Amino acid sequence: MEIKISEQIRKIIYVSGALFALGMLFVLGIFVLSDHLDSSENKQSLQFSEDMQIEKIIPERSGKPVSIKLRRTVKGKYTWTLRGRSVEEIVETDRRLRELLDEK
């Protein structure tokens, strides 16, 4: 049993194989070139050092206020959810809300 392939299909298979091989050579060339550029002459060794001056960094306040979700219950009382970055600001906001809404 012999399979006959037309001449055009043979050319397409040949050209696509050749293009695939060229593409692989191109990719291989990129890897070789990048390895050459990253040779030991151009690399600097990484060094680890501790700087005791920056051991304790306190983040600055973002300037964003505390987020408050205030809800009123069926009985007329209020509940709320507070979100923020600073615990001190959240506690202070909670205290002020309790004072303003006469809840203790």
Side-chain angles (χ1 to χ4, degrees), residues 24-78:
M24 293 304 290
L25 284 174
F26 180 74
V27 170
L28 182 64
I30 295 284
F31 282 127
V32 169
L33 183 62
S34 67
D35 186 45
H36 177 70
L37 292 177
D38 288 339
S39 65
S40 61
E41 299 171 356
N42 295 335
K43 288 185 180 177
Q44 296 178 355
S45 62
L46 298 175
Q47 295 179 356
F48 177 77
S49 65
E50 284 187 37
D51 191 353
M52 298 304 284
Q53 294 176 348
I54 59 171
E55 183 177 339
K56 294 181 181 179
I57 298 176
I58 300 172
E60 297 179 13
R61 289 189 174 182
S62 65
K64 294 182 180 179
V66 175
S67 169
I68 304 170
K69 286 188 179 180
L70 187 63
R71 292 179 210 91
R72 189 170 185 179
T73 63
V74 176
K75 295 180 180 179
K77 293 195 175 197
Y78 290 96

Side-chain angles (χ1 to χ4, degrees), residues 72-86:
R72 189 170 185 179
T73 63
V74 176
K75 295 180 180 179
K77 293 195 175 197
Y78 290 96
T79 62
W80 53 84
T81 304
L82 303 175
R83 290 186 180 202
R85 291 188 179 194
S86 171

Side-chain angles (χ1 to χ4, degrees), residues 14-26:
Y14 178 75
V15 169
S16 63
L19 287 176
F20 178 76
L22 284 174
M24 293 304 290
L25 284 174
F26 180 74

Side-chain angles (χ1 to χ4, degrees), residues 74-99:
V74 176
K75 295 180 180 179
K77 293 195 175 197
Y78 290 96
T79 62
W80 53 84
T81 304
L82 303 175
R83 290 186 180 202
R85 291 188 179 194
S86 171
V87 175
E88 293 87 15
E89 290 177 5
I90 293 172
V91 170
E92 178 64 24
T93 304
D94 183 61
R95 184 187 63 75
R96 290 203 58 219
L97 277 172
R98 290 182 190 277
E99 286 177 3

